[in-house]
Amino acid sequence: MADMDTASITDVWDRVFGAQPAPETWLVIATGVVALLAVVPHGIWRLTRNAVTIAHEGGHGLVALLSGRRLDGIRLHSDTSGLTVSRGKPTGIGMVLTAAAGYTAPPLLGLAGAWLLSAHHITALLWGATALLLAMLVMIRNAYGVLTVVLAGGAFLLVSWLTSADVQAAFAYFVVWFLLLGGVRPVFELQTKRRRFGLRRPSAEYAAAMGRSGAPDSDADQLSRLTHVPAGMWLLLFHAVALCSLIGGGRWLLGL
């Protein structure tokens, strides 16, 4: 019995952390094209952006915990906005890192995923994503957020357990391409919203609506208040992280 248990544990270990065969180049390119189609059209983006919001708010929450802050909860809304609430010192490096983690989390997660896929660790990526979503689920504080994270985690779990190696590879590559590409668009959207907000003096209703969707009380503006560095410089940092992650991750995925 002990030998059987040891063999089972070894099999699971090898399945998760072992290397899987590299997919064909056409599949890597095809999943990238599909991911691009999930990001560029506005109508589709209104739905798929929820996945980027999960990564965005998850980044805030993870860095808040790592920097010693107390994470009170995360909310995800049907308009693809989100809110992460943490307690701790209102200034300092921990608060700065927490505020900066949102827009940088999706592309950096995509970059990490591209590194795993370049080493052919497809199953490890799927299981790792499932574990992160499960950990995030504990901190979700609204019904829509719970539904969104459960559906995302369920998709990863079902694909990793019930599908063939080719399907797992296609799903993993699509997810990573989507994070890399989907990490770029929100920064441009934030830049556009801040530019529009600056064109006129807003009403209270307009300010509330813009604050909900990215401006004026955006991550860049919060960072500007915390560091006295112009919000435009933080936007430049967000752009740099997103674009460099896309270039580097894309090269890894394509085996360049």
Side-chain angles (χ1 to χ4, degrees):
M1 182 66 69
D3 291 339
M4 292 180 62
D5 290 341
T6 302
S8 298
I9 293 173
T10 302
D11 289 342
V12 172
W13 180 271
D14 290 340
R15 179 179 178 183
V16 175
F17 296 102
Q20 288 76 45
E24 298 289 339
T25 302
W26 70 264
L27 186 144
V28 177
I29 296 174
T31 53
V33 172
V34 174
L36 187 64
L37 294 176
V39 171
V40 174
H42 181 70
I44 297 176
W45 176 242
R46 290 180 61 186
L47 298 174
T48 59
R49 197 182 194 280
N50 284 284
V52 176
T53 302
I54 292 175
H56 180 113
E57 300 302 332
H60 281 313
L62 178 61
V63 174
L65 290 174
L66 293 177
S67 62
R69 300 179 62 80
R70 177 182 174 183
L71 183 60
D72 283 351
I74 299 172
R75 291 178 175 271
L76 305 173
H77 304 120
S78 58
D79 63 356
T80 73
S81 67
L83 176 66
T84 299
V85 179
S86 63
R87 294 184 185 181
K89 188 178 178 181
T91 57
I93 186 64
M95 188 62 199
V96 171
L97 291 175
T98 299
Y103 280 96
T104 56
L108 290 178
L109 284 172
L111 185 64
W115 175 77
L116 280 174
L117 293 181
S118 70
H120 312 310
H121 292 301
I122 297 172
T123 305
L125 183 144
L126 296 175
W127 282 41
T130 304
L132 288 174
L133 288 167
L134 181 61
M136 185 176 178
L137 181 62
V138 178
M139 300 308 302
I140 298 295
R141 295 292 181 264
N142 66 323
Y144 182 81
V146 169
L147 175 64
T148 304
V149 174
V150 166
L151 289 176
F156 277 95
L157 188 61
L158 290 174
V159 168
S160 63
W161 273 107
L162 302 179
T163 64
S164 66
D166 289 339
V167 174
Q168 291 181 24
F171 182 76
Y173 273 84
F174 166 76
V175 168
V176 171
W177 274 121
F178 177 78
L179 286 172
L180 292 171
L181 294 165
V184 174
R185 180 164 178 171
V187 187
F188 283 98
E189 291 178 338
L190 175 58
Q191 185 175 2
T192 301
K193 289 171 183 176
R194 294 191 74 260
R195 186 183 300 115
R196 289 176 181 172
F197 180 79
L199 293 178
R200 63 188 178 92
R201 184 177 182 85
S203 64
E205 294 80 5
Y206 179 77
M210 291 296 284
R212 175 102 172 184
S213 60
D217 196 27
S218 67
D219 293 354
D221 294 286
Q222 292 181 35
L223 285 163
S224 179
R225 291 194 297 270
L226 287 167
T227 63
H228 305 293
V229 174
M233 294 300 296
W234 287 106
L235 276 171
L236 183 62
L237 174 65
F238 295 161
H239 279 301
V241 171
L243 293 173
C244 289
S245 295
L246 175 59
I247 295 170
R251 289 178 62 86
W252 270 334
L253 293 175
L254 295 170
L256 301 178

